[in-house]
Amino acid sequence: MATGWQEIHDEALRRIQSRDWPPGALIPNEAALAREFGCARATVNRALQGLAKAGWLERRRRAGTRVTLSPQRRGQLAIPLIRHEIESKGQIFSHAIITRQTAEMPSPQRAALGLQGAPYAQHVQTLYLADARPFAFEDRWVNLAAAPDFATAPLDRISPNEWLVQNAPFAHGTLDYSAAPANTAGPHLNCQPDTPLMILERRTFGPDAPVTHVRLSYAPNFHLHLKI
Amino acid sequence: MATGWQEIHDEALRRIQSRDWPPGALIPNEAALAREFGCARATVNRALQGLAKAGWLERRRRAGTRVTLSPQRRGQLAIPLIRHEIESKGQIFSHAIITRQTAEMPSPQRAALGLQGAPYAQHVQTLYLADARPFAFEDRWVNLAAAPDFATAPLDRISPNEWLVQNAPFAHGTLDYSAAPANTAGPHLNCQPDTPLMILERRTFGPDAPVTHVRLSYAPNFHLHLKI
DNA sequence: TAGTGGTCTAGACCACGGC
DNA sequence: CCGTGGTCTAGACCACTAG
């Protein structure tokens, strides 16, 4: 049996899920619940704020707390390093640099990152392997203005993915998953050009400037798994 | 300029991202930070708990608070109703029931839901449309033992998706995205059987029993978008 | 065992926003 | 206006665990 604010959290969630507090209903205010549970109002507040953040409740000053009408569930998607993703399955991780060159960033990537002008960038194609079998093919452009040291990073020893995580901490970014034919990534992943693959396009922004644009083609049978 | 616990949260995050507090480092304890910011320890605690929950800090009693070595970013993936997903893009939502019949649940779905025996279930195939164009094709099995009223749900007026959300609140579930050829969903989505599609397999469990298994084939060009 | 974070309390003030 | 949730405080006790 839980005690403290978690107990109130769990009991409130039970009442919501059991429709004891039906969707859209106003629930008792914090002071009333504090009396009911025999605790301070702050303890109730903590419990209810958690439920509100999780989407079960909607709270407004003066108007009180209501059960969300159609709770929109949120999935927590962990974005691990590819190395960790592979090692957590008990497989051996390795990577191979296919091409690496400094060049002007092409238009599509420039546009995706919102870059003006023609910034110099480094283009790296990398194959990630699990137990020496292709896991994903990565086509990456790095804005050298935001991460100048990347030009001399020892990518034979540390993958571009991991180097950037460790050396170019970022503030925010976007992920975009879609399905597409393997096309030119096919040969690297030992599949036909028309094989459906999961594609991840990722844009990463530092505090001041865009850092990198990545297109990652996962080998066939890749699954993106979430719990809700 | 923020005030209160958010100010401390933001300042701490700035110190982490700027490597003022480098990865792995021990940061000052709560009492010291409370003195620095001129506030109560509870206020510092609230700020740091938020950063810990977001993965930036690791906190342990007696050992203190450390900056996470390789912060694993988490994406928040909202799981909207398909209707809301479409309407939020300014399109008109509609749906059409393709098939609907009560039958014994087949093995793959039974296994996915962990069901023993041969429970009766309802099998529904639904096409979801945005502006009268195919958006997704759904193949769903509903465990009638967990949601008996589904057998008589007016699915011509409310989609299976929405009916279940409103009438069979669930405790937890799993989502599984992958890429696959359209196959038999192709004709419904106006594409060739070999067109790559994003597939969502979803399992939903109520407090007591498994509720439903869904395989959703999204039309071409569907993108799953996340911010991190 | 001693230092750290986790939590609770009783009270207070404030911000918001129905009415 | 005034009831509601949001937050802060000062202090207290507890749970955990490194040393």
mmCIF file with all atom_site columns, all heavy atoms in Angstrom, chain B residues 173-195:
data_model
loop_
_atom_site.group_PDB
_atom_site.id
_atom_site.type_symbol
_atom_site.label_atom_id
_atom_site.label_alt_id
_atom_site.label_comp_id
_atom_site.label_asym_id
_atom_site.label_entity_id
_atom_site.label_seq_id
_atom_site.pdbx_PDB_ins_code
_atom_site.Cartn_x
_atom_site.Cartn_y
_atom_site.Cartn_z
_atom_site.occupancy
_atom_site.B_iso_or_equiv
_atom_site.pdbx_formal_charge
_atom_site.auth_seq_id
_atom_site.auth_comp_id
_atom_site.auth_asym_id
_atom_site.auth_atom_id
_atom_site.pdbx_PDB_model_num
ATOM 1   N N   . GLY B 1 173 ? -1.091  -0.183 -22.723 1.00 0.00 ? 173 GLY B N   1
ATOM 2   C CA  . GLY B 1 173 ? -1.038  -0.812 -24.030 1.00 0.00 ? 173 GLY B CA  1
ATOM 3   C C   . GLY B 1 173 ? 0.332   -0.631 -24.650 1.00 0.00 ? 173 GLY B C   1
ATOM 4   O O   . GLY B 1 173 ? 1.239   -0.079 -24.038 1.00 0.00 ? 173 GLY B O   1
ATOM 5   N N   . THR B 1 174 ? 0.472   -1.138 -25.860 1.00 0.00 ? 174 THR B N   1
ATOM 6   C CA  . THR B 1 174 ? 1.736   -0.973 -26.569 1.00 0.00 ? 174 THR B CA  1
ATOM 7   C C   . THR B 1 174 ? 1.454   -0.509 -27.993 1.00 0.00 ? 174 THR B C   1
ATOM 8   O O   . THR B 1 174 ? 0.418   -0.830 -28.581 1.00 0.00 ? 174 THR B O   1
ATOM 9   C CB  . THR B 1 174 ? 2.533   -2.288 -26.631 1.00 0.00 ? 174 THR B CB  1
ATOM 10  O OG1 . THR B 1 174 ? 1.799   -3.227 -27.410 1.00 0.00 ? 174 THR B OG1 1
ATOM 11  C CG2 . THR B 1 174 ? 2.766   -2.864 -25.253 1.00 0.00 ? 174 THR B CG2 1
ATOM 12  N N   . LEU B 1 175 ? 2.405   0.256  -28.513 1.00 0.00 ? 175 LEU B N   1
ATOM 13  C CA  . LEU B 1 175 ? 2.357   0.681  -29.905 1.00 0.00 ? 175 LEU B CA  1
ATOM 14  C C   . LEU B 1 175 ? 3.593   0.149  -30.599 1.00 0.00 ? 175 LEU B C   1
ATOM 15  O O   . LEU B 1 175 ? 4.665   0.088  -30.012 1.00 0.00 ? 175 LEU B O   1
ATOM 16  C CB  . LEU B 1 175 ? 2.360   2.213  -30.013 1.00 0.00 ? 175 LEU B CB  1
ATOM 17  C CG  . LEU B 1 175 ? 1.257   2.993  -29.321 1.00 0.00 ? 175 LEU B CG  1
ATOM 18  C CD1 . LEU B 1 175 ? 1.405   4.471  -29.649 1.00 0.00 ? 175 LEU B CD1 1
ATOM 19  C CD2 . LEU B 1 175 ? -0.085  2.489  -29.773 1.00 0.00 ? 175 LEU B CD2 1
ATOM 20  N N   . ASP B 1 176 ? 3.434   -0.189 -31.857 1.00 0.00 ? 176 ASP B N   1
ATOM 21  C CA  . ASP B 1 176 ? 4.554   -0.737 -32.598 1.00 0.00 ? 176 ASP B CA  1
ATOM 22  C C   . ASP B 1 176 ? 4.475   -0.224 -34.034 1.00 0.00 ? 176 ASP B C   1
ATOM 23  O O   . ASP B 1 176 ? 3.592   -0.647 -34.792 1.00 0.00 ? 176 ASP B O   1
ATOM 24  C CB  . ASP B 1 176 ? 4.472   -2.261 -32.560 1.00 0.00 ? 176 ASP B CB  1
ATOM 25  C CG  . ASP B 1 176 ? 5.830   -2.890 -32.675 1.00 0.00 ? 176 ASP B CG  1
ATOM 26  O OD1 . ASP B 1 176 ? 6.407   -2.803 -33.772 1.00 0.00 ? 176 ASP B OD1 1
ATOM 27  O OD2 . ASP B 1 176 ? 6.313   -3.427 -31.679 1.00 0.00 ? 176 ASP B OD2 1
ATOM 28  N N   . TYR B 1 177 ? 5.358   0.662  -34.377 1.00 0.00 ? 177 TYR B N   1
ATOM 29  C CA  . TYR B 1 177 ? 5.386   1.196  -35.739 1.00 0.00 ? 177 TYR B CA  1
ATOM 30  C C   . TYR B 1 177 ? 6.424   0.447  -36.567 1.00 0.00 ? 177 TYR B C   1
ATOM 31  O O   . TYR B 1 177 ? 7.516   0.153  -36.080 1.00 0.00 ? 177 TYR B O   1
ATOM 32  C CB  . TYR B 1 177 ? 5.751   2.681  -35.734 1.00 0.00 ? 177 TYR B CB  1
ATOM 33  C CG  . TYR B 1 177 ? 4.680   3.599  -35.194 1.00 0.00 ? 177 TYR B CG  1
ATOM 34  C CD1 . TYR B 1 177 ? 4.674   3.998  -33.868 1.00 0.00 ? 177 TYR B CD1 1
ATOM 35  C CD2 . TYR B 1 177 ? 3.684   4.084  -36.037 1.00 0.00 ? 177 TYR B CD2 1
ATOM 36  C CE1 . TYR B 1 177 ? 3.691   4.847  -33.379 1.00 0.00 ? 177 TYR B CE1 1
ATOM 37  C CE2 . TYR B 1 177 ? 2.703   4.928  -35.557 1.00 0.00 ? 177 TYR B CE2 1
ATOM 38  C CZ  . TYR B 1 177 ? 2.708   5.317  -34.231 1.00 0.00 ? 177 TYR B CZ  1
ATOM 39  O OH  . TYR B 1 177 ? 1.739   6.157  -33.754 1.00 0.00 ? 177 TYR B OH  1
ATOM 40  N N   . SER B 1 178 ? 6.071   0.177  -37.810 1.00 0.00 ? 178 SER B N   1
ATOM 41  C CA  . SER B 1 178 ? 7.043   -0.432 -38.708 1.00 0.00 ? 178 SER B CA  1
ATOM 42  C C   . SER B 1 178 ? 6.682   -0.051 -40.140 1.00 0.00 ? 178 SER B C   1
ATOM 43  O O   . SER B 1 178 ? 5.658   0.584  -40.376 1.00 0.00 ? 178 SER B O   1
ATOM 44  C CB  . SER B 1 178 ? 7.054   -1.958 -38.544 1.00 0.00 ? 178 SER B CB  1
ATOM 45  O OG  . SER B 1 178 ? 5.761   -2.476 -38.762 1.00 0.00 ? 178 SER B OG  1
ATOM 46  N N   . ALA B 1 179 ? 7.531   -0.432 -41.065 1.00 0.00 ? 179 ALA B N   1
ATOM 47  C CA  . ALA B 1 179 ? 7.278   -0.174 -42.480 1.00 0.00 ? 179 ALA B CA  1
ATOM 48  C C   . ALA B 1 179 ? 7.035   -1.500 -43.173 1.00 0.00 ? 179 ALA B C   1
ATOM 49  O O   . ALA B 1 179 ? 7.732   -2.471 -42.906 1.00 0.00 ? 179 ALA B O   1
ATOM 50  C CB  . ALA B 1 179 ? 8.470   0.548  -43.110 1.00 0.00 ? 179 ALA B CB  1
ATOM 51  N N   . ALA B 1 180 ? 6.040   -1.528 -44.049 1.00 0.00 ? 180 ALA B N   1
ATOM 52  C CA  . ALA B 1 180 ? 5.721   -2.773 -44.740 1.00 0.00 ? 180 ALA B CA  1
ATOM 53  C C   . ALA B 1 180 ? 5.008   -2.450 -46.051 1.00 0.00 ? 180 ALA B C   1
ATOM 54  O O   . ALA B 1 180 ? 4.473   -1.349 -46.216 1.00 0.00 ? 180 ALA B O   1
ATOM 55  C CB  . ALA B 1 180 ? 4.853   -3.672 -43.863 1.00 0.00 ? 180 ALA B CB  1
ATOM 56  N N   . PRO B 1 181 ? 4.979   -3.400 -46.985 1.00 0.00 ? 181 PRO B N   1
ATOM 57  C CA  . PRO B 1 181 ? 4.229   -3.172 -48.217 1.00 0.00 ? 181 PRO B CA  1
ATOM 58  C C   . PRO B 1 181 ? 2.732   -3.105 -47.921 1.00 0.00 ? 181 PRO B C   1
ATOM 59  O O   . PRO B 1 181 ? 2.256   -3.729 -46.965 1.00 0.00 ? 181 PRO B O   1
ATOM 60  C CB  . PRO B 1 181 ? 4.544   -4.409 -49.066 1.00 0.00 ? 181 PRO B CB  1
ATOM 61  C CG  . PRO B 1 181 ? 5.711   -5.066 -48.419 1.00 0.00 ? 181 PRO B CG  1
ATOM 62  C CD  . PRO B 1 181 ? 5.672   -4.691 -46.974 1.00 0.00 ? 181 PRO B CD  1
ATOM 63  N N   . ALA B 1 182 ? 2.014   -2.365 -48.748 1.00 0.00 ? 182 ALA B N   1
ATOM 64  C CA  . ALA B 1 182 ? 0.574   -2.186 -48.530 1.00 0.00 ? 182 ALA B CA  1
ATOM 65  C C   . ALA B 1 182 ? -0.175  -3.519 -48.561 1.00 0.00 ? 182 ALA B C   1
ATOM 66  O O   . ALA B 1 182 ? -1.129  -3.729 -47.813 1.00 0.00 ? 182 ALA B O   1
ATOM 67  C CB  . ALA B 1 182 ? 0.015   -1.243 -49.579 1.00 0.00 ? 182 ALA B CB  1
ATOM 68  N N   . ASN B 1 183 ? 0.237   -4.420 -49.447 1.00 0.00 ? 183 ASN B N   1
ATOM 69  C CA  . ASN B 1 183 ? -0.436  -5.716 -49.598 1.00 0.00 ? 183 ASN B CA  1
ATOM 70  C C   . ASN B 1 183 ? -1.942  -5.541 -49.779 1.00 0.00 ? 183 ASN B C   1
ATOM 71  O O   . ASN B 1 183 ? -2.375  -4.742 -50.602 1.00 0.00 ? 183 ASN B O   1
ATOM 72  C CB  . ASN B 1 183 ? -0.139  -6.624 -48.395 1.00 0.00 ? 183 ASN B CB  1
ATOM 73  C CG  . ASN B 1 183 ? 1.317   -7.051 -48.388 1.00 0.00 ? 183 ASN B CG  1
ATOM 74  O OD1 . ASN B 1 183 ? 1.959   -7.050 -49.442 1.00 0.00 ? 183 ASN B OD1 1
ATOM 75  N ND2 . ASN B 1 183 ? 1.847   -7.379 -47.236 1.00 0.00 ? 183 ASN B ND2 1
ATOM 76  N N   . THR B 1 184 ? -2.708  -6.258 -48.951 1.00 0.00 ? 184 THR B N   1
ATOM 77  C CA  . THR B 1 184 ? -4.160  -6.239 -49.166 1.00 0.00 ? 184 THR B CA  1
ATOM 78  C C   . THR B 1 184 ? -4.809  -4.914 -48.806 1.00 0.00 ? 184 THR B C   1
ATOM 79  O O   . THR B 1 184 ? -5.966  -4.669 -49.168 1.00 0.00 ? 184 THR B O   1
ATOM 80  C CB  . THR B 1 184 ? -4.835  -7.349 -48.341 1.00 0.00 ? 184 THR B CB  1
ATOM 81  O OG1 . THR B 1 184 ? -4.504  -7.144 -46.966 1.00 0.00 ? 184 THR B OG1 1
ATOM 82  C CG2 . THR B 1 184 ? -4.347  -8.714 -48.775 1.00 0.00 ? 184 THR B CG2 1
ATOM 83  N N   . ALA B 1 185 ? -4.090  -4.057 -48.088 1.00 0.00 ? 185 ALA B N   1
ATOM 84  C CA  . ALA B 1 185 ? -4.660  -2.742 -47.771 1.00 0.00 ? 185 ALA B CA  1
ATOM 85  C C   . ALA B 1 185 ? -4.553  -1.801 -48.965 1.00 0.00 ? 185 ALA B C   1
ATOM 86  O O   . ALA B 1 185 ? -5.214  -0.760 -49.002 1.00 0.00 ? 185 ALA B O   1
ATOM 87  C CB  . ALA B 1 185 ? -3.956  -2.127 -46.563 1.00 0.00 ? 185 ALA B CB  1
ATOM 88  N N   . GLY B 1 186 ? -3.732  -2.183 -49.941 1.00 0.00 ? 186 GLY B N   1
ATOM 89  C CA  . GLY B 1 186 ? -3.488  -1.312 -51.088 1.00 0.00 ? 186 GLY B CA  1
ATOM 90  C C   . GLY B 1 186 ? -4.751  -0.807 -51.768 1.00 0.00 ? 186 GLY B C   1
ATOM 91  O O   . GLY B 1 186 ? -4.922  0.403  -51.924 1.00 0.00 ? 186 GLY B O   1
ATOM 92  N N   . PRO B 1 187 ? -5.656  -1.717 -52.164 1.00 0.00 ? 187 PRO B N   1
ATOM 93  C CA  . PRO B 1 187 ? -6.856  -1.252 -52.868 1.00 0.00 ? 187 PRO B CA  1
ATOM 94  C C   . PRO B 1 187 ? -7.657  -0.238 -52.060 1.00 0.00 ? 187 PRO B C   1
ATOM 95  O O   . PRO B 1 187 ? -8.203  0.712  -52.635 1.00 0.00 ? 187 PRO B O   1
ATOM 96  C CB  . PRO B 1 187 ? -7.653  -2.548 -53.056 1.00 0.00 ? 187 PRO B CB  1
ATOM 97  C CG  . PRO B 1 187 ? -6.623  -3.636 -53.045 1.00 0.00 ? 187 PRO B CG  1
ATOM 98  C CD  . PRO B 1 187 ? -5.550  -3.176 -52.117 1.00 0.00 ? 187 PRO B CD  1
ATOM 99  N N   . HIS B 1 188 ? -7.728  -0.406 -50.760 1.00 0.00 ? 188 HIS B N   1
ATOM 100 C CA  . HIS B 1 188 ? -8.496  0.530  -49.941 1.00 0.00 ? 188 HIS B CA  1
ATOM 101 C C   . HIS B 1 188 ? -7.837  1.902  -49.899 1.00 0.00 ? 188 HIS B C   1
ATOM 102 O O   . HIS B 1 188 ? -8.496  2.921  -49.727 1.00 0.00 ? 188 HIS B O   1
ATOM 103 C CB  . HIS B 1 188 ? -8.640  -0.001 -48.516 1.00 0.00 ? 188 HIS B CB  1
ATOM 104 C CG  . HIS B 1 188 ? -9.340  -1.315 -48.433 1.00 0.00 ? 188 HIS B CG  1
ATOM 105 N ND1 . HIS B 1 188 ? -10.661 -1.461 -48.779 1.00 0.00 ? 188 HIS B ND1 1
ATOM 106 C CD2 . HIS B 1 188 ? -8.904  -2.549 -48.062 1.00 0.00 ? 188 HIS B CD2 1
ATOM 107 C CE1 . HIS B 1 188 ? -11.007 -2.741 -48.614 1.00 0.00 ? 188 HIS B CE1 1
ATOM 108 N NE2 . HIS B 1 188 ? -9.963  -3.408 -48.185 1.00 0.00 ? 188 HIS B NE2 1
ATOM 109 N N   . LEU B 1 189 ? -6.522  1.914  -50.024 1.00 0.00 ? 189 LEU B N   1
ATOM 110 C CA  . LEU B 1 189 ? -5.780  3.173  -49.876 1.00 0.00 ? 189 LEU B CA  1
ATOM 111 C C   . LEU B 1 189 ? -5.338  3.726  -51.233 1.00 0.00 ? 189 LEU B C   1
ATOM 112 O O   . LEU B 1 189 ? -4.532  4.661  -51.293 1.00 0.00 ? 189 LEU B O   1
ATOM 113 C CB  . LEU B 1 189 ? -4.559  2.956  -48.965 1.00 0.00 ? 189 LEU B CB  1
ATOM 114 C CG  . LEU B 1 189 ? -4.898  2.539  -47.524 1.00 0.00 ? 189 LEU B CG  1
ATOM 115 C CD1 . LEU B 1 189 ? -3.640  2.125  -46.767 1.00 0.00 ? 189 LEU B CD1 1
ATOM 116 C CD2 . LEU B 1 189 ? -5.612  3.667  -46.794 1.00 0.00 ? 189 LEU B CD2 1
ATOM 117 N N   . ASN B 1 190 ? -5.867  3.150  -52.302 1.00 0.00 ? 190 ASN B N   1
ATOM 118 C CA  . ASN B 1 190 ? -5.532  3.622  -53.645 1.00 0.00 ? 190 ASN B CA  1
ATOM 119 C C   . ASN B 1 190 ? -4.036  3.580  -53.937 1.00 0.00 ? 190 ASN B C   1
ATOM 120 O O   . ASN B 1 190 ? -3.457  4.534  -54.450 1.00 0.00 ? 190 ASN B O   1
ATOM 121 C CB  . ASN B 1 190 ? -6.026  5.067  -53.860 1.00 0.00 ? 190 ASN B CB  1
ATOM 122 C CG  . ASN B 1 190 ? -7.541  5.151  -53.840 1.00 0.00 ? 190 ASN B CG  1
ATOM 123 O OD1 . ASN B 1 190 ? -8.219  4.131  -54.023 1.00 0.00 ? 190 ASN B OD1 1
ATOM 124 N ND2 . ASN B 1 190 ? -8.052  6.344  -53.624 1.00 0.00 ? 190 ASN B ND2 1
ATOM 125 N N   . CYS B 1 191 ? -3.406  2.501  -53.545 1.00 0.00 ? 191 CYS B N   1
ATOM 126 C CA  . CYS B 1 191 ? -1.997  2.374  -53.893 1.00 0.00 ? 191 CYS B CA  1
ATOM 127 C C   . CYS B 1 191 ? -1.701  0.925  -54.260 1.00 0.00 ? 191 CYS B C   1
ATOM 128 O O   . CYS B 1 191 ? -2.529  0.034  -54.075 1.00 0.00 ? 191 CYS B O   1
ATOM 129 C CB  . CYS B 1 191 ? -1.098  2.848  -52.752 1.00 0.00 ? 191 CYS B CB  1
ATOM 130 S SG  . CYS B 1 191 ? -1.287  1.917  -51.228 1.00 0.00 ? 191 CYS B SG  1
ATOM 131 N N   . GLN B 1 192 ? -0.510  0.716  -54.821 1.00 0.00 ? 192 GLN B N   1
ATOM 132 C CA  . GLN B 1 192 ? -0.118  -0.611 -55.256 1.00 0.00 ? 192 GLN B CA  1
ATOM 133 C C   . GLN B 1 192 ? 0.209   -1.487 -54.052 1.00 0.00 ? 192 GLN B C   1
ATOM 134 O O   . GLN B 1 192 ? 0.568   -0.976 -52.984 1.00 0.00 ? 192 GLN B O   1
ATOM 135 C CB  . GLN B 1 192 ? 1.121   -0.516 -56.166 1.00 0.00 ? 192 GLN B CB  1
ATOM 136 C CG  . GLN B 1 192 ? 0.901   0.322  -57.411 1.00 0.00 ? 192 GLN B CG  1
ATOM 137 C CD  . GLN B 1 192 ? -0.225  -0.239 -58.273 1.00 0.00 ? 192 GLN B CD  1
ATOM 138 O OE1 . GLN B 1 192 ? -0.303  -1.444 -58.502 1.00 0.00 ? 192 GLN B OE1 1
ATOM 139 N NE2 . GLN B 1 192 ? -1.111  0.641  -58.724 1.00 0.00 ? 192 GLN B NE2 1
ATOM 140 N N   . PRO B 1 193 ? 0.093   -2.811 -54.214 1.00 0.00 ? 193 PRO B N   1
ATOM 141 C CA  . PRO B 1 193 ? 0.379   -3.730 -53.093 1.00 0.00 ? 193 PRO B CA  1
ATOM 142 C C   . PRO B 1 193 ? 1.816   -3.634 -52.587 1.00 0.00 ? 193 PRO B C   1
ATOM 143 O O   . PRO B 1 193 ? 2.090   -4.008 -51.447 1.00 0.00 ? 193 PRO B O   1
ATOM 144 C CB  . PRO B 1 193 ? 0.098   -5.109 -53.685 1.00 0.00 ? 193 PRO B CB  1
ATOM 145 C CG  . PRO B 1 193 ? -0.812  -4.851 -54.848 1.00 0.00 ? 193 PRO B CG  1
ATOM 146 C CD  . PRO B 1 193 ? -0.425  -3.510 -55.393 1.00 0.00 ? 193 PRO B CD  1
ATOM 147 N N   . ASP B 1 194 ? 2.730   -3.127 -53.441 1.00 0.00 ? 194 ASP B N   1
ATOM 148 C CA  . ASP B 1 194 ? 4.117   -3.058 -52.989 1.00 0.00 ? 194 ASP B CA  1
ATOM 149 C C   . ASP B 1 194 ? 4.513   -1.659 -52.496 1.00 0.00 ? 194 ASP B C   1
ATOM 150 O O   . ASP B 1 194 ? 5.679   -1.411 -52.206 1.00 0.00 ? 194 ASP B O   1
ATOM 151 C CB  . ASP B 1 194 ? 5.065   -3.509 -54.107 1.00 0.00 ? 194 ASP B CB  1
ATOM 152 C CG  . ASP B 1 194 ? 4.962   -2.595 -55.328 1.00 0.00 ? 194 ASP B CG  1
ATOM 153 O OD1 . ASP B 1 194 ? 4.024   -1.765 -55.364 1.00 0.00 ? 194 ASP B OD1 1
ATOM 154 O OD2 . ASP B 1 194 ? 5.815   -2.713 -56.224 1.00 0.00 ? 194 ASP B OD2 1
ATOM 155 N N   . THR B 1 195 ? 3.545   -0.771 -52.397 1.00 0.00 ? 195 THR B N   1
ATOM 156 C CA  . THR B 1 195 ? 3.859   0.572  -51.894 1.00 0.00 ? 195 THR B CA  1
ATOM 157 C C   . THR B 1 195 ? 4.237   0.507  -50.421 1.00 0.00 ? 195 THR B C   1
ATOM 158 O O   . THR B 1 195 ? 3.514   -0.105 -49.630 1.00 0.00 ? 195 THR B O   1
ATOM 159 C CB  . THR B 1 195 ? 2.626   1.495  -52.056 1.00 0.00 ? 195 THR B CB  1
ATOM 160 O OG1 . THR B 1 195 ? 2.221   1.493  -53.418 1.00 0.00 ? 195 THR B OG1 1
ATOM 161 C CG2 . THR B 1 195 ? 2.943   2.907  -51.595 1.00 0.00 ? 195 THR B CG2 1
#
